[in-house]
Amino acid sequence: MSGETAIGIHDLSIATTRYVLTHATLAAQIGSDVAKYERGIGQVSMSVAAPDEDIVTMAAAAAEPIVARHGADRIRTVVFATETAVDQAKAAGIHVHSLLGLPSATRVVELKQACYSGTAALQFGISLVHRDPAEQVLVIASDVSKYDLGSPGEATQGAAAVAMLVSADPALVRIEDPSGIFTADIMDFWRPNYRTTALVDGRESISAYLQAVEGTWKDYTERGGHDLDEFRAFCYHQPFTKMANKAHRHLLNYCGHEVDEAAVNRAIGHTTTYNAVIGNSYTASMYVALASLLDNADDLTDQAIGFLSYGSGAVAEFFAGTVVPGYRALLRSRSHREAISRRQDIDYARYREIHEHSFPVDGGDYPVPRETTGPFRLAGLSGHKRIYEPR
Ligand code: HMG
C-alpha cells in the first residue's frame, strides 16, 4: 500500500467505437486462415473509430458516467495517457475537461510512452492523492491503434478508452507498493511524427515484451513484492490476447514453475474477454483487461491481482492491486457489455475507407458527418482547430 493511506481505483469505466471489423472479414479479404487470428493471436474482432470519433470522444464517453456518479468537486487533476495525440501542444484532456464541464481549478496534462503511459498516469494520480487524500484524480487512457493496410500489424488494431477515478479508500482496487520497473532502448514499435500508422518489428516486439516481463518481475521481487502463488489473476498489456498467454507462460517459466495450461488460463482467463473483441487499445489495453476481469470473474474480494504494463520503446512496470470488499455493487458490467455489443459490423470496403480517411490540412472548414452513437462527437475542423460537441 502507498504509505498508510489505501489509494487506488475508486471507479472504472470503458468506452469504445461505433464500428467493428471481424477477423473473419479481414481473413476473407486477404486470403488468410481465420484460425491464424482467432487461435493464433487470440483476436475475433477489432473496434474501428468512425470519422467523428477519436481519443477525445471515447475518453469523454468513458469519463462521463464517473463524473455523473461522484461529482467533480474533488477532481483537481486530469491525466490523459495516449500515443494517438490529436495535437502536438495542447493536452487532449482539456477537450474532455470542457465536454464534461469540469471546474477551472483543475490541472490537465497528457502523458506519452507508448502503451505504458496509462500506468504512468495511474502512478502519477496515486502520488497526488498520497500528497492530499482529499483530492481525486481522473486518469484517462485512450487510443486508436493503426497499422498499414496489408501489414502483419493490421490484425492487431483496435480502439478504446478507459477512465479511472483514483482516490483514497478506493471502492474497487487498492494499488500497492512496490512496483518493479524496467526500461531498455529498443526500437520494437514506434511512430515518427510524420506518420499516422505505427512501424513495428513484430518478432522483436514480442521478445522485448518478454524481456520486460523478466526485468520488472526481478525488480519487483528484489523490492519485496508478493510471491507468484499469492496472485489470483494477472492483467497483462494485451496487444493481442495471445500475448497475455505468452507472457504468463514466460513468467511461470522464469520463476521455475511448471507451465501448466490450466494454471495459465486460470490466471489470465477472464482478463481477455473484452480485448479479444476490441483489439489493441494501447494505453487502455491493460485496464480494459482489468474491467473484463472484474466484470466476468467470480468474487475476487481481497484477492491480489498482478499487473504487467508494457510500452514499446520500451518501458514496463509490474505492480499488485487488491480487490476491495463490496466492489461488485459498483461495477459497470452492463454498460461495458453494451458498449461492445452495440458496435455496428462493417465490411472490408467501409473499413478501408475509414482507414484511409484523413482531414485536409489547409485550415478550412470541414464538418464531419454524424456517425457515432456515443455521447460526444468530433463535429469538424475549422481554422486548424478540432471542434467537439455533445451528440
Ligand atoms: P504474423 O507474422 O502475421 O503472424 O505476425 P505469425 O505468422 O507470427 O502468426 C501468429 C501466430 O499465429 C503464431 O503463433 C502462429 O503459429 C499462429 P505463435 O508461434 O506466436 O504462438 N498461426 C496459427 N494458429 C492457428 N491456425 C493457423 C495459424 N497460422 C498461424 N492457421 C504479429 C503476428 C503479432 C507479430 C503481428 O500481428 C504484429 O506485428 N503485431 C503488432 C506488434 C505487436 O502487437 N507486438 C506485441 C508486443 S509489443 C506491444 O505489446 C506494444 C504495442 O502494444 C505498442 C505500444 O506499446 O504502444 C504493440
Side-chain angles (χ1 to χ4, degrees), residues 33 35-36 39-41 83 114-115 147 152-153 156 188-189 200 202-203 205-206 209 237 239-240 242-243 246 280 282 310-312:
D33 183 352
K36 171 176 173 177
R39 288 213 307 278
I41 61 169
E83 57 178 295
C115 303
Y147 296 90
T156 60
D188 59 328
F189 165 107
V200 65
R203 289 287 126 197
S205 72
I206 293 171
Y209 185 129
H237 167 56
F240 50 92
K242 192 74 179 291
M243 191 67 228
K246 284 180 192 293
N280 195 355
Y282 291 158
Y310 175 77
S312 286

mmCIF file of all heavy atoms in Angstrom, residues 33 35-36 39-41 83 114-115 147 152-153 156 188-189 200 202-203 205-206 209 237 239-240 242-243 246 280 282 310-312, ligand 1:
data_model
loop_
_atom_site.group_PDB
_atom_site.id
_atom_site.type_symbol
_atom_site.label_atom_id
_atom_site.label_comp_id
_atom_site.label_asym_id
_atom_site.label_seq_id
_atom_site.Cartn_x
_atom_site.Cartn_y
_atom_site.Cartn_z
ATOM 1 N N ASP A 33 -6.124 -17.685 -43.248
ATOM 2 C CA ASP A 33 -6.946 -18.612 -42.468
ATOM 3 C C ASP A 33 -7.400 -17.870 -41.194
ATOM 4 O O ASP A 33 -6.557 -17.382 -40.434
ATOM 5 C CB ASP A 33 -6.084 -19.832 -42.104
ATOM 6 C CG ASP A 33 -6.857 -20.895 -41.343
ATOM 7 O OD1 ASP A 33 -8.023 -20.628 -40.958
ATOM 8 O OD2 ASP A 33 -6.283 -21.975 -41.122
ATOM 9 N N ALA A 35 -8.330 -18.916 -38.506
ATOM 10 C CA ALA A 35 -7.781 -19.554 -37.289
ATOM 11 C C ALA A 35 -6.464 -18.903 -36.874
ATOM 12 O O ALA A 35 -6.118 -18.874 -35.690
ATOM 13 C CB ALA A 35 -7.578 -21.049 -37.516
ATOM 14 N N LYS A 36 -5.730 -18.356 -37.858
ATOM 15 C CA LYS A 36 -4.479 -17.665 -37.512
ATOM 16 C C LYS A 36 -4.774 -16.512 -36.556
ATOM 17 O O LYS A 36 -3.981 -16.237 -35.650
ATOM 18 C CB LYS A 36 -3.799 -17.136 -38.776
ATOM 19 C CG LYS A 36 -2.625 -16.236 -38.478
ATOM 20 C CD LYS A 36 -1.888 -15.770 -39.707
ATOM 21 C CE LYS A 36 -0.842 -14.733 -39.318
ATOM 22 N NZ LYS A 36 -0.038 -14.270 -40.428
ATOM 23 N N ARG A 39 -7.247 -18.214 -33.213
ATOM 24 C CA ARG A 39 -6.465 -19.082 -32.318
ATOM 25 C C ARG A 39 -5.019 -18.603 -32.219
ATOM 26 O O ARG A 39 -4.448 -18.546 -31.133
ATOM 27 C CB ARG A 39 -6.502 -20.525 -32.819
ATOM 28 C CG ARG A 39 -7.852 -21.206 -32.623
ATOM 29 C CD ARG A 39 -7.703 -22.715 -32.355
ATOM 30 N NE ARG A 39 -6.900 -23.399 -33.361
ATOM 31 C CZ ARG A 39 -7.360 -23.815 -34.545
ATOM 32 N NH1 ARG A 39 -8.629 -23.647 -34.862
ATOM 33 N NH2 ARG A 39 -6.563 -24.416 -35.399
ATOM 34 N N GLY A 40 -4.426 -18.240 -33.343
ATOM 35 C CA GLY A 40 -3.001 -17.871 -33.367
ATOM 36 C C GLY A 40 -2.687 -16.637 -32.532
ATOM 37 O O GLY A 40 -1.720 -16.623 -31.778
ATOM 38 N N ILE A 41 -3.497 -15.567 -32.704
ATOM 39 C CA ILE A 41 -3.227 -14.366 -31.891
ATOM 40 C C ILE A 41 -4.360 -14.075 -30.892
ATOM 41 O O ILE A 41 -4.275 -13.129 -30.117
ATOM 42 C CB ILE A 41 -2.934 -13.111 -32.766
ATOM 43 C CG1 ILE A 41 -4.110 -12.746 -33.671
ATOM 44 C CG2 ILE A 41 -1.655 -13.303 -33.571
ATOM 45 C CD1 ILE A 41 -3.955 -11.377 -34.353
ATOM 46 N N GLU A 83 -1.033 7.569 -27.045
ATOM 47 C CA GLU A 83 0.017 7.672 -28.062
ATOM 48 C C GLU A 83 -0.622 7.985 -29.415
ATOM 49 O O GLU A 83 -0.012 7.809 -30.456
ATOM 50 C CB GLU A 83 0.870 6.412 -28.100
ATOM 51 C CG GLU A 83 0.107 5.133 -28.340
ATOM 52 C CD GLU A 83 1.031 3.933 -28.424
ATOM 53 O OE1 GLU A 83 1.832 3.899 -29.366
ATOM 54 O OE2 GLU A 83 0.933 3.040 -27.565
ATOM 55 N N ALA A 114 4.301 5.172 -25.312
ATOM 56 C CA ALA A 114 3.637 4.025 -25.934
ATOM 57 C C ALA A 114 2.516 3.506 -25.012
ATOM 58 O O ALA A 114 1.854 4.293 -24.356
ATOM 59 C CB ALA A 114 4.646 2.952 -26.309
ATOM 60 N N CYS A 115 2.348 2.184 -24.955
ATOM 61 C CA CYS A 115 1.207 1.659 -24.183
ATOM 62 C C CYS A 115 1.402 1.772 -22.677
ATOM 63 O O CYS A 115 0.477 1.552 -21.906
ATOM 64 C CB CYS A 115 0.968 0.193 -24.535
ATOM 65 S SG CYS A 115 0.690 -0.060 -26.276
ATOM 66 N N TYR A 147 -2.186 0.415 -37.974
ATOM 67 C CA TYR A 147 -1.026 -0.057 -38.740
ATOM 68 C C TYR A 147 -1.364 0.030 -40.222
ATOM 69 O O TYR A 147 -2.539 0.156 -40.604
ATOM 70 C CB TYR A 147 -0.709 -1.518 -38.395
ATOM 71 C CG TYR A 147 -0.284 -1.761 -36.967
ATOM 72 C CD1 TYR A 147 -1.225 -2.044 -35.973
ATOM 73 C CD2 TYR A 147 1.059 -1.743 -36.606
ATOM 74 C CE1 TYR A 147 -0.836 -2.284 -34.659
ATOM 75 C CE2 TYR A 147 1.456 -1.989 -35.295
ATOM 76 C CZ TYR A 147 0.509 -2.263 -34.332
ATOM 77 O OH TYR A 147 0.906 -2.513 -33.043
ATOM 78 N N PRO A 152 1.503 -7.075 -41.243
ATOM 79 C CA PRO A 152 1.168 -8.060 -40.200
ATOM 80 C C PRO A 152 0.477 -7.426 -38.994
ATOM 81 O O PRO A 152 -0.332 -8.063 -38.326
ATOM 82 C CB PRO A 152 2.528 -8.634 -39.799
ATOM 83 C CG PRO A 152 3.452 -8.321 -40.928
ATOM 84 C CD PRO A 152 2.939 -7.077 -41.589
ATOM 85 N N GLY A 153 0.779 -6.158 -38.729
ATOM 86 C CA GLY A 153 0.167 -5.492 -37.585
ATOM 87 C C GLY A 153 -1.314 -5.203 -37.779
ATOM 88 O O GLY A 153 -2.035 -4.967 -36.792
ATOM 89 N N THR A 156 -3.893 -6.524 -35.563
ATOM 90 C CA THR A 156 -3.806 -6.188 -34.128
ATOM 91 C C THR A 156 -4.181 -4.726 -33.879
ATOM 92 O O THR A 156 -3.670 -4.097 -32.948
ATOM 93 C CB THR A 156 -2.400 -6.498 -33.557
ATOM 94 O OG1 THR A 156 -1.415 -5.734 -34.260
ATOM 95 C CG2 THR A 156 -2.058 -7.966 -33.686
ATOM 96 N N ASP A 188 11.327 -1.502 -31.108
ATOM 97 C CA ASP A 188 10.435 -2.613 -31.483
ATOM 98 C C ASP A 188 9.147 -2.109 -32.127
ATOM 99 O O ASP A 188 8.525 -2.800 -32.923
ATOM 100 C CB ASP A 188 10.132 -3.513 -30.276
ATOM 101 C CG ASP A 188 9.463 -2.787 -29.116
ATOM 102 O OD1 ASP A 188 9.738 -1.586 -28.917
ATOM 103 O OD2 ASP A 188 8.667 -3.426 -28.405
ATOM 104 N N PHE A 189 8.751 -0.889 -31.789
ATOM 105 C CA PHE A 189 7.498 -0.302 -32.274
ATOM 106 C C PHE A 189 7.636 1.190 -32.058
ATOM 107 O O PHE A 189 8.043 1.627 -30.984
ATOM 108 C CB PHE A 189 6.341 -0.871 -31.459
ATOM 109 C CG PHE A 189 5.028 -0.140 -31.567
ATOM 110 C CD1 PHE A 189 3.957 -0.670 -32.278
ATOM 111 C CD2 PHE A 189 4.844 1.086 -30.924
ATOM 112 C CE1 PHE A 189 2.758 0.003 -32.356
ATOM 113 C CE2 PHE A 189 3.655 1.765 -31.013
ATOM 114 C CZ PHE A 189 2.600 1.223 -31.723
ATOM 115 N N VAL A 200 6.596 -1.331 -36.841
ATOM 116 C CA VAL A 200 6.826 -2.356 -35.820
ATOM 117 C C VAL A 200 7.679 -3.481 -36.369
ATOM 118 O O VAL A 200 7.579 -3.829 -37.554
ATOM 119 C CB VAL A 200 5.472 -2.905 -35.283
ATOM 120 C CG1 VAL A 200 4.689 -3.626 -36.358
ATOM 121 C CG2 VAL A 200 5.667 -3.802 -34.069
ATOM 122 N N GLY A 202 7.591 -7.024 -35.514
ATOM 123 C CA GLY A 202 6.681 -7.881 -34.741
ATOM 124 C C GLY A 202 7.392 -8.850 -33.817
ATOM 125 O O GLY A 202 7.117 -8.902 -32.615
ATOM 126 N N ARG A 203 8.318 -9.627 -34.359
ATOM 127 C CA ARG A 203 9.018 -10.639 -33.540
ATOM 128 C C ARG A 203 9.848 -9.964 -32.446
ATOM 129 O O ARG A 203 9.871 -10.390 -31.299
ATOM 130 C CB ARG A 203 9.926 -11.519 -34.424
ATOM 131 C CG ARG A 203 9.173 -12.483 -35.323
ATOM 132 C CD ARG A 203 8.574 -13.635 -34.510
ATOM 133 N NE ARG A 203 7.147 -13.745 -34.770
ATOM 134 C CZ ARG A 203 6.282 -14.399 -34.012
ATOM 135 N NH1 ARG A 203 6.668 -15.002 -32.913
ATOM 136 N NH2 ARG A 203 5.011 -14.448 -34.311
ATOM 137 N N SER A 205 9.261 -7.146 -31.113
ATOM 138 C CA SER A 205 8.387 -6.552 -30.097
ATOM 139 C C SER A 205 7.933 -7.605 -29.090
ATOM 140 O O SER A 205 7.824 -7.324 -27.895
ATOM 141 C CB SER A 205 7.187 -5.846 -30.740
ATOM 142 O OG SER A 205 6.263 -6.768 -31.269
ATOM 143 N N ILE A 206 7.687 -8.818 -29.575
ATOM 144 C CA ILE A 206 7.264 -9.880 -28.655
ATOM 145 C C ILE A 206 8.424 -10.237 -27.720
ATOM 146 O O ILE A 206 8.253 -10.380 -26.512
ATOM 147 C CB ILE A 206 6.745 -11.114 -29.438
ATOM 148 C CG1 ILE A 206 5.440 -10.741 -30.158
ATOM 149 C CG2 ILE A 206 6.555 -12.313 -28.520
ATOM 150 C CD1 ILE A 206 4.926 -11.769 -31.143
ATOM 151 N N TYR A 209 8.894 -7.497 -25.143
ATOM 152 C CA TYR A 209 7.841 -7.597 -24.114
ATOM 153 C C TYR A 209 8.233 -8.660 -23.090
ATOM 154 O O TYR A 209 8.155 -8.429 -21.866
ATOM 155 C CB TYR A 209 6.523 -7.914 -24.827
ATOM 156 C CG TYR A 209 5.270 -7.958 -23.982
ATOM 157 C CD1 TYR A 209 4.136 -7.229 -24.354
ATOM 158 C CD2 TYR A 209 5.173 -8.748 -22.842
ATOM 159 C CE1 TYR A 209 2.959 -7.277 -23.617
ATOM 160 C CE2 TYR A 209 4.014 -8.805 -22.094
ATOM 161 C CZ TYR A 209 2.905 -8.071 -22.483
ATOM 162 O OH TYR A 209 1.753 -8.131 -21.741
ATOM 163 N N HIS A 237 -0.722 -6.222 -20.355
ATOM 164 C CA HIS A 237 -0.989 -5.433 -21.560
ATOM 165 C C HIS A 237 -1.263 -6.422 -22.695
ATOM 166 O O HIS A 237 -0.517 -7.381 -22.886
ATOM 167 C CB HIS A 237 0.221 -4.551 -21.889
ATOM 168 C CG HIS A 237 0.137 -3.974 -23.266
ATOM 169 N ND1 HIS A 237 -0.949 -3.231 -23.679
ATOM 170 C CD2 HIS A 237 0.963 -4.058 -24.339
ATOM 171 C CE1 HIS A 237 -0.776 -2.871 -24.933
ATOM 172 N NE2 HIS A 237 0.376 -3.364 -25.358
ATOM 173 N N PRO A 239 -1.679 -6.481 -26.566
ATOM 174 C CA PRO A 239 -1.704 -6.008 -27.959
ATOM 175 C C PRO A 239 -2.549 -6.957 -28.810
ATOM 176 O O PRO A 239 -3.132 -6.565 -29.810
ATOM 177 C CB PRO A 239 -0.237 -6.041 -28.370
ATOM 178 C CG PRO A 239 0.415 -7.023 -27.440
ATOM 179 C CD PRO A 239 -0.349 -6.933 -26.150
ATOM 180 N N PHE A 240 -2.553 -8.208 -28.412
ATOM 181 C CA PHE A 240 -3.465 -9.265 -28.891
ATOM 182 C C PHE A 240 -3.528 -10.230 -27.724
ATOM 183 O O PHE A 240 -2.562 -10.322 -26.939
ATOM 184 C CB PHE A 240 -2.971 -9.912 -30.201
ATOM 185 C CG PHE A 240 -1.536 -10.359 -30.166
ATOM 186 C CD1 PHE A 240 -1.190 -11.642 -29.795
ATOM 187 C CD2 PHE A 240 -0.509 -9.466 -30.472
ATOM 188 C CE1 PHE A 240 0.144 -12.040 -29.738
ATOM 189 C CE2 PHE A 240 0.824 -9.854 -30.411
ATOM 190 C CZ PHE A 240 1.148 -11.141 -30.052
ATOM 191 N N LYS A 242 -3.401 -13.370 -27.173
ATOM 192 C CA LYS A 242 -2.445 -14.469 -27.039
ATOM 193 C C LYS A 242 -1.152 -13.996 -26.369
ATOM 194 O O LYS A 242 -0.414 -14.790 -25.782
ATOM 195 C CB LYS A 242 -2.167 -15.035 -28.439
ATOM 196 C CG LYS A 242 -1.426 -16.347 -28.491
ATOM 197 C CD LYS A 242 -2.280 -17.528 -28.103
ATOM 198 C CE LYS A 242 -1.518 -18.844 -28.174
ATOM 199 N NZ LYS A 242 -1.181 -19.258 -29.530
ATOM 200 N N MET A 243 -0.887 -12.694 -26.442
ATOM 201 C CA MET A 243 0.328 -12.149 -25.819
ATOM 202 C C MET A 243 0.283 -12.335 -24.304
ATOM 203 O O MET A 243 1.318 -12.571 -23.670
ATOM 204 C CB MET A 243 0.473 -10.668 -26.181
ATOM 205 C CG MET A 243 1.804 -10.056 -25.814
ATOM 206 S SD MET A 243 3.213 -10.683 -26.742
ATOM 207 C CE MET A 243 4.353 -11.020 -25.404
ATOM 208 N N LYS A 246 1.350 -15.842 -23.719
ATOM 209 C CA LYS A 246 2.809 -15.975 -23.882
ATOM 210 C C LYS A 246 3.531 -15.389 -22.664
ATOM 211 O O LYS A 246 4.498 -15.950 -22.162
ATOM 212 C CB LYS A 246 3.277 -15.189 -25.120
ATOM 213 C CG LYS A 246 2.985 -15.820 -26.462
ATOM 214 C CD LYS A 246 3.533 -14.886 -27.555
ATOM 215 C CE LYS A 246 3.070 -15.237 -28.945
ATOM 216 N NZ LYS A 246 3.592 -16.494 -29.440
ATOM 217 N N ASN A 280 -6.261 -4.042 -29.893
ATOM 218 C CA ASN A 280 -5.276 -3.286 -29.114
ATOM 219 C C ASN A 280 -5.769 -1.859 -28.905
ATOM 220 O O ASN A 280 -6.063 -1.147 -29.865
ATOM 221 C CB ASN A 280 -3.922 -3.274 -29.834
ATOM 222 C CG ASN A 280 -2.784 -2.817 -28.919
ATOM 223 O OD1 ASN A 280 -3.022 -2.415 -27.774
ATOM 224 N ND2 ASN A 280 -1.560 -2.886 -29.404
ATOM 225 N N TYR A 282 -3.821 0.104 -26.957
ATOM 226 C CA TYR A 282 -2.571 0.686 -26.467
ATOM 227 C C TYR A 282 -2.620 1.008 -24.955
ATOM 228 O O TYR A 282 -2.630 0.099 -24.154
ATOM 229 C CB TYR A 282 -2.235 1.941 -27.262
ATOM 230 C CG TYR A 282 -1.840 1.752 -28.723
ATOM 231 C CD1 TYR A 282 -1.968 2.822 -29.623
ATOM 232 C CD2 TYR A 282 -1.303 0.574 -29.222
ATOM 233 C CE1 TYR A 282 -1.585 2.728 -30.963
ATOM 234 C CE2 TYR A 282 -0.927 0.470 -30.565
ATOM 235 C CZ TYR A 282 -1.061 1.542 -31.425
ATOM 236 O OH TYR A 282 -0.700 1.459 -32.747
ATOM 237 N N TYR A 310 3.203 -2.841 -20.326
ATOM 238 C CA TYR A 310 4.348 -2.763 -21.241
ATOM 239 C C TYR A 310 4.102 -1.706 -22.295
ATOM 240 O O TYR A 310 3.020 -1.651 -22.887
ATOM 241 C CB TYR A 310 4.581 -4.122 -21.934
ATOM 242 C CG TYR A 310 5.675 -4.041 -22.979
ATOM 243 C CD1 TYR A 310 7.011 -4.019 -22.593
ATOM 244 C CD2 TYR A 310 5.370 -3.929 -24.340
ATOM 245 C CE1 TYR A 310 8.025 -3.903 -23.547
ATOM 246 C CE2 TYR A 310 6.380 -3.809 -25.285
ATOM 247 C CZ TYR A 310 7.706 -3.798 -24.877
ATOM 248 O OH TYR A 310 8.708 -3.667 -25.822
ATOM 249 N N GLY A 311 5.089 -0.895 -22.558
ATOM 250 C CA GLY A 311 5.022 0.066 -23.660
ATOM 251 C C GLY A 311 6.279 -0.040 -24.484
ATOM 252 O O GLY A 311 7.399 0.049 -23.957
ATOM 253 N N SER A 312 6.116 -0.260 -25.768
ATOM 254 C CA SER A 312 7.271 -0.427 -26.657
ATOM 255 C C SER A 312 8.220 0.745 -26.536
ATOM 256 O O SER A 312 7.830 1.866 -26.223
ATOM 257 C CB SER A 312 6.788 -0.543 -28.101
ATOM 258 O OG SER A 312 6.204 -1.794 -28.314
HETATM 259 P P1 HMG B 1 2.331 -12.505 -38.249
HETATM 260 O O1 HMG B 1 3.619 -12.638 -38.978
HETATM 261 O O2 HMG B 1 1.162 -12.059 -39.017
HETATM 262 O O3 HMG B 1 1.848 -13.857 -37.614
HETATM 263 O O4 HMG B 1 2.619 -11.531 -37.007
HETATM 264 P P2 HMG B 1 2.650 -15.202 -37.273
HETATM 265 O O5 HMG B 1 2.989 -15.907 -38.523
HETATM 266 O O6 HMG B 1 3.764 -14.912 -36.304
HETATM 267 O O7 HMG B 1 1.487 -15.988 -36.563
HETATM 268 C C1 HMG B 1 0.950 -15.544 -35.362
HETATM 269 C C2 HMG B 1 0.596 -16.752 -34.511
HETATM 270 O O8 HMG B 1 -0.475 -17.449 -35.161
HETATM 271 C C3 HMG B 1 1.740 -17.756 -34.386
HETATM 272 O O9 HMG B 1 1.651 -18.310 -33.097
HETATM 273 C C4 HMG B 1 1.383 -18.820 -35.428
HETATM 274 O O10 HMG B 1 1.914 -20.103 -35.139
HETATM 275 C C5 HMG B 1 -0.145 -18.818 -35.312
HETATM 276 P P3 HMG B 1 2.935 -18.278 -32.117
HETATM 277 O O11 HMG B 1 4.017 -19.020 -32.811
HETATM 278 O O12 HMG B 1 3.308 -16.805 -31.946
HETATM 279 O O13 HMG B 1 2.436 -18.873 -30.851
HETATM 280 N N1 HMG B 1 -0.830 -19.309 -36.523
HETATM 281 C C6 HMG B 1 -1.910 -20.092 -36.484
HETATM 282 N N2 HMG B 1 -2.595 -20.631 -35.463
HETATM 283 C C7 HMG B 1 -3.699 -21.386 -35.742
HETATM 284 N N3 HMG B 1 -4.110 -21.638 -37.047
HETATM 285 C C8 HMG B 1 -3.437 -21.100 -38.085
HETATM 286 C C9 HMG B 1 -2.281 -20.301 -37.826
HETATM 287 N N4 HMG B 1 -1.417 -19.627 -38.620
HETATM 288 C C10 HMG B 1 -0.531 -19.024 -37.797
HETATM 289 N N5 HMG B 1 -3.848 -21.352 -39.346
HETATM 290 C C11 HMG B 1 2.366 -10.288 -35.031
HETATM 291 C C12 HMG B 1 1.969 -11.555 -35.754
HETATM 292 C C13 HMG B 1 1.751 -10.276 -33.644
HETATM 293 C C14 HMG B 1 3.886 -10.229 -34.909
HETATM 294 C C15 HMG B 1 1.844 -9.075 -35.855
HETATM 295 O O14 HMG B 1 0.450 -9.061 -35.843
HETATM 296 C C16 HMG B 1 2.367 -7.731 -35.374
HETATM 297 O O15 HMG B 1 3.445 -7.295 -35.768
HETATM 298 N N6 HMG B 1 1.565 -7.010 -34.495
HETATM 299 C C17 HMG B 1 1.958 -5.712 -33.967
HETATM 300 C C18 HMG B 1 3.040 -5.823 -32.923
HETATM 301 C C19 HMG B 1 2.567 -6.389 -31.612
HETATM 302 O O16 HMG B 1 1.390 -6.435 -31.319
HETATM 303 N N7 HMG B 1 3.536 -6.799 -30.762
HETATM 304 C C20 HMG B 1 3.246 -7.307 -29.457
HETATM 305 C C21 HMG B 1 4.310 -6.983 -28.415
HETATM 306 S S1 HMG B 1 4.730 -5.237 -28.431
HETATM 307 C C22 HMG B 1 3.457 -4.460 -27.506
HETATM 308 O O17 HMG B 1 2.683 -5.110 -26.883
HETATM 309 C C23 HMG B 1 3.387 -2.977 -27.589
HETATM 310 C C24 HMG B 1 2.319 -2.410 -28.517
HETATM 311 O O18 HMG B 1 1.058 -2.548 -27.936
HETATM 312 C C25 HMG B 1 2.642 -0.959 -28.841
HETATM 313 C C26 HMG B 1 2.852 0.004 -27.685
HETATM 314 O O19 HMG B 1 3.477 -0.276 -26.678
HETATM 315 O O20 HMG B 1 2.433 1.164 -27.878
HETATM 316 C C27 HMG B 1 2.285 -3.131 -29.859
#
